[in-house]
Amino acid sequence: MTTAQLIGSDPGWLILVKALIVFAVCVLLTLMSVWGERRIVARMQQRPGPNRVGPFGLIQSLADGVKLALKEDIIPTAADKIVFIIAPIISATTCFMSFAVIPITGEVTMFGRQTAMQLTDIPVGVLYILAVASVGVYGIVLAGWSSGSTYPLLGGLRSSAQVISYEIAMGLSLVAVFIYAGSMSTSDIVAAQTSWWYAVVLFPSFAIFAISMVGETNRAPFDLAEAEGELVGGFHTEYSSLKFALFFLAEYVNIVTVSALATTLFLGGYHAPPGLGFTENWLGGWFTAIWFLLKVVTFFFVFVWLRGTLPRLRYDQFMQFGWKVLIPVSILWILVVATLRVLTLENASTAIVVAFASTVIFIILAINVGFENVKKKKDAEVPEGDNKSEPSFAVPSLPTLPIEISTINVSKNSGGNRD
Amino acid sequence: MTENLEPIKPKDLGINDVDFYEVDQTPTVGFFGHMRGFWVTFSTMFKKPLTVEYPEVKAPTEERFHGRHQLNRHPDGLEKCIGCELCAWACPADAIYVEGENNTEENRMSPGERYGKVYQINYLRCVFCGLCIEACPTRALTMTNEYELADDSRAKLIFEKADLLAPLRAGMLMPPHPMYPDMNDTNYYKGDVKQAHPSQELDK
């Protein structure tokens, strides 16, 4: 019996209970992750981190939440009031929604009924998650736009551009998974990974997904939308009190959701790591939830680790990386995967598959060598000693300044062409 | 290129006309070079935090840290301050207020002619520069290492003489009391007085 059939027979009250559990898990994970992130980043900087409220500072995030809720809620005069209020609600609700299709456990008994800890299982579960995530972008865009202020507008623009472009790479990286699993339903994809995780089989997809999910969640080193040094607070500059708390919540729920999605699609979801398959029957199947959570926490740790290590990318480099590297690479990878898959399904001989694979590797190596040569040539082209070559980036002309001409020792001819 | 040099109008100047030099690029670090950064943060996690958890743990200050002031006493308990106001004059922040008064035989607070009747230091103004300590001719004023000078009102941060005076130690008597027998203020200054004499004790 598939998970879809298993869940399909759930009575209404069980669905309600599950919804509650999913919500509770989400909120709890978020609270824990805020605390965890602060503690881990602190340790990476040789600080203790929050350790005042509760044991080990565990309920620090709760205290922060209360503090935020009690603060004055300011709505700027220039803001579009209705949109301003709706935006954080969109942000916060959508990120919870995607958790509905994440399978947390395998088959378990819940209040005397055979079911699985997954709120719902739709045939296009992963597409649903992508769709919900896209709606979540509206929260950011609308927040930036409705604030009636420059920094939020720029921050909103940035993050929407960012999320949209990295969503493409993310979606493309999932195609290989769909091709291999033969389904878009999350539970089917997990079921297809009983022997081999897709992180191993489809490593390039996994790498692209891992990178783009950091971009998708606006997290460091891709946190351009809230680049403090450039945009104050980014899209939520004008937000305060509970509305700000909602954005804050949304960010962390998003991280948890994306980690859960990555776990589901690439790390075998609730399945135990290879060699520990016998643990899946412990606690009447509930032990699988522990494996699932462990994997999610691992992903979360990587998120924190990235934040603790890497500086923020420059905006144009970031967009270039998304459009000129991630997307083309994933398209090529899809071609390769699709061909391999067709060859396998058509029962092609191993020789053909190997031949195809080696051709692909050969082409990639050839492209790489060619690229390196071009790069070397380009480096060699720079003439020695001539320091006055034109900058390669676009430069606006200087405003007319009362410059002492005699102090500038340049000829007119050596100046760049400024058209 | 010198033959091309000709006057140019300011409006023709662009950023490209300004000399710039290519910075020597360090060679690319490669994959493992990038990974080293991750190792730095990861290994730091297992090091002991450097934080001093202040209210619970108080790290000792440097020996000569400029903290709260103290008005010292002679070994027999008489005050060292002679009310000369040099500290007040030395103070760049105008944080010290002194009023001197004559010592009398019935009411002797310090050896010699004068003593500081009113002595106030305003810690809202004090910059802890230590010029007052340098100015003091009798070493009456020194600084302690005490740095916890925070309070909830301005008035509480104006320290009076009673707040600043050093406590009575063994062998000291609470002034006012007469000087050590057969000693004058110069003896006091030179440190000949080691402790209070029984005759200095005033009749109760």
Side-chain angles (χ1 to χ4, degrees):
Chain A
M1 195 151 70
T2 63
T3 314
Q5 290 165 319
L6 199 66
I7 301 174
S9 57
D10 279 347
W13 61 267
L14 192 56
I15 293 173
L16 264 178
V17 168
K18 276 187 186 174
L20 243 156
I21 291 177
V22 166
F23 182 75
V25 164
C26 255
V27 171
L28 214 72
L29 272 178
T30 307
L31 286 179
M32 287 294 96
S33 61
V34 174
W35 169 81
E37 164 165 46
R38 289 180 63 184
R39 287 289 284 199
I40 294 169
V41 164
R43 291 301 303 217
M44 284 178 174
Q45 298 164 348
Q46 264 188 298
R47 304 182 280 119
N51 58 359
R52 300 264 130 195
V53 194
F56 304 106
L58 260 170
I59 49 173
Q60 176 70 50
S61 33
L62 206 68
D64 286 347
V66 172
K67 179 207 74 176
L68 275 176
L70 293 176
K71 277 188 147 184
E72 186 188 356
D73 197 352
I74 298 164
I75 298 178
T77 326
D80 186 326
K81 211 171 166 187
I82 297 166
V83 183
F84 190 79
I85 293 167
I86 291 173
I89 298 172
I90 294 176
S91 249
T93 43
T94 49
C95 52
F96 279 110
M97 281 164 68
S98 34
F99 224 88
V101 291
I102 302 281
I104 298 174
T105 67
E107 206 175 311
V108 290
T109 317
M110 215 172 171
F111 303 107
R113 290 193 67 96
Q114 282 292 109
T115 177
M117 190 48 236
Q118 179 181 356
L119 186 56
T120 179
D121 189 34
I122 42 182
V124 288
V126 181
L127 283 192
Y128 161 79
I129 292 177
L130 287 180
V132 165
S134 314
V135 176
V137 184
Y138 277 98
I140 297 171
V141 181
L142 293 179
W145 177 78
S146 67
S147 294
S149 167
T150 320
Y151 283 127
L153 186 65
L154 289 173
L157 266 176
R158 268 194 186 188
S159 50
S160 44
Q162 171 180 340
V163 174
I164 289 167
S165 28
Y166 273 68
E167 213 155 65
I168 298 172
M170 196 185 213
L172 287 175
S173 72
L174 298 182
V175 173
V177 175
F178 298 155
I179 291 173
Y180 257 77
S183 167
M184 286 187 190
S185 134
T186 44
S187 60
D188 287 349
I189 290 171
V190 170
Q193 296 180 75
T194 22
S195 50
W196 280 98
W197 291 357
Y198 284 151
V200 183
V201 183
L202 305 168
F203 183 74
S205 289
F206 177 58
I208 292 166
F209 184 85
I211 294 169
S212 55
M213 77 181 190
V214 180
E216 169 88 8
T217 46
N218 286 333
R219 287 280 303 182
F222 302 151
D223 56 344
L224 306 144
E226 28 196 309
E228 297 92 356
E230 300 154 33
L231 294 172
V232 192
F235 62 88
H236 57 56
T237 306
E238 300 290 354
Y239 279 88
S240 50
S241 188
L242 261 186
K243 296 200 202 71
F244 173 75
L246 283 181
F247 277 123
F248 199 71
L249 180 80
E251 185 187 334
Y252 282 87
V253 178
N254 253 327
I255 297 167
V256 172
T257 314
V258 189
S259 303
L261 185 63
T263 305
T264 307
L265 298 179
F266 292 102
L267 289 191
Y270 52 76
H271 283 307
L276 294 168
F278 57 91
T279 56
E280 286 180 24
N281 294 326
W282 290 2
L283 305 175
W286 280 102
F287 202 77
T288 48
I290 293 175
W291 287 122
F292 174 79
L293 288 178
L294 264 180
K295 288 170 187 174
V296 171
V297 167
T298 311
F299 266 110
F300 180 75
F301 175 76
V302 174
F303 266 107
V304 176
W305 197 6
L306 285 174
R307 186 185 153 184
T309 309
L310 297 175
R312 186 178 298 125
L313 256 74
R314 210 172 67 201
Y315 187 62
D316 60 320
Q317 289 173 335
F318 172 71
M319 289 310 254
Q320 238 173 37
F321 181 65
W323 286 96
K324 294 188 181 168
V325 179
L326 285 186
I327 294 175
V329 166
S330 40
I331 289 175
L332 282 178
W333 173 243
I334 289 167
L335 281 178
V336 174
V337 167
T339 317
L340 274 176
R341 191 67 183 158
V342 168
L343 285 178
T344 337
L345 291 180
E346 301 276 307
N347 290 322
S349 65
T350 325
I352 295 177
V353 174
V354 170
F356 173 74
S358 45
T359 316
V360 168
I361 292 170
F362 178 76
I363 290 172
I364 290 172
L365 285 178
I367 290 173
N368 192 33
V369 169
F371 184 72
E372 289 290 320
N373 281 345
V374 170
K375 212 169 149 192
K376 260 184 209 154
K377 233 182 184 174
K378 234 182 180 175
D379 288 347
E381 268 170 13
V382 178
E384 292 284 322
D386 184 14
N387 297 318
K388 275 181 207 153
S389 61
E390 221 179 320
S392 59
F393 46 87
V395 180
S397 61
L398 282 176
T400 33
L401 295 167
I403 305 170
E404 286 286 325
I405 295 171
S406 58
T407 60
I408 298 169
N409 182 23
V410 282
S411 69
K412 225 179 163 185
N413 293 354
S414 72
N417 182 7
R418 290 184 303 280
D419 291 326
Chain B
M1 272 204 269
T2 39
E3 69 271 14
N4 293 331
L5 269 176
E6 55 180 59
I8 35 176
K9 293 171 202 132
K11 71 178 168 61
D12 290 334
L13 278 175
I15 196 153
N16 295 338
D17 297 315
V18 181
D19 283 353
F20 71 91
Y21 298 93
E22 265 185 37
V23 181
D24 281 332
Q25 293 281 322
T26 44
T28 43
V29 284
F31 180 75
F32 289 103
H34 291 300
M35 288 303 114
R36 261 181 62 196
F38 282 92
W39 175 246
V40 169
T41 41
F42 190 78
S43 58
T44 309
M45 275 199 307
F46 303 100
K47 289 181 186 160
K48 201 174 168 289
L50 293 171
T51 310
V52 179
E53 297 196 33
Y54 164 62
E56 288 91 27
V57 182
K58 282 173 191 161
T61 60
E62 288 299 321
E63 212 176 314
R64 299 182 62 172
F65 176 81
H66 285 187
R68 182 179 68 81
H69 298 78
Q70 177 173 282
L71 283 172
N72 299 308
R73 293 175 189 273
H74 286 293
D76 68 346
L78 286 178
E79 291 162 13
K80 282 188 175 176
C81 180
I82 54 173
C84 68
E85 297 186 22
L86 280 177
C87 48
W89 285 95
C91 183
D94 200 9
I96 306 181
Y97 176 75
V98 184
E99 265 180 38
E101 183 62 75
N102 286 333
N103 280 315
T104 57
E105 283 315 309
E106 304 82 53
N107 187 34
R108 172 171 290 284
M109 304 300 287
S110 71
E113 281 177 36
R114 306 259 294 170
Y115 74 99
K117 190 183 174 199
V118 176
Y119 199 101
Q120 292 179 344
I121 296 183
N122 185 345
Y123 282 104
L124 296 165
R125 307 198 69 156
C126 180
V127 294
F128 299 92
C129 64
L131 288 180
C132 45
I133 278 71
E134 288 181 34
C136 186
T138 58
R139 280 234 177 122
L141 194 64
T142 53
M143 279 171 142
T144 62
N145 288 348
E146 192 190 324
Y147 52 84
E148 287 176 319
L149 293 164
D151 224 317
D152 53 9
S153 81
R154 288 165 182 272
K156 284 181 188 164
L157 280 164
I158 299 172
F159 280 44
E160 295 284 344
K161 192 177 165 189
D163 307 316
L164 295 166
L165 263 176
L168 285 174
R169 298 194 190 286
M172 288 183 177
L173 288 173
M174 183 58 111
H177 59 74
M179 288 204 279
Y180 200 89
D182 305 326
M183 295 276 186
N184 58 21
D185 49 334
T186 314
N187 294 123
Y188 270 95
Y189 185 78
K190 286 178 175 167
D192 295 337
V193 178
K194 305 296 182 199
Q195 59 172 36
H197 190 268
S199 70
Q200 284 180 292
E201 216 162 338
L202 287 180
D203 330 317
K204 292 282 147 16

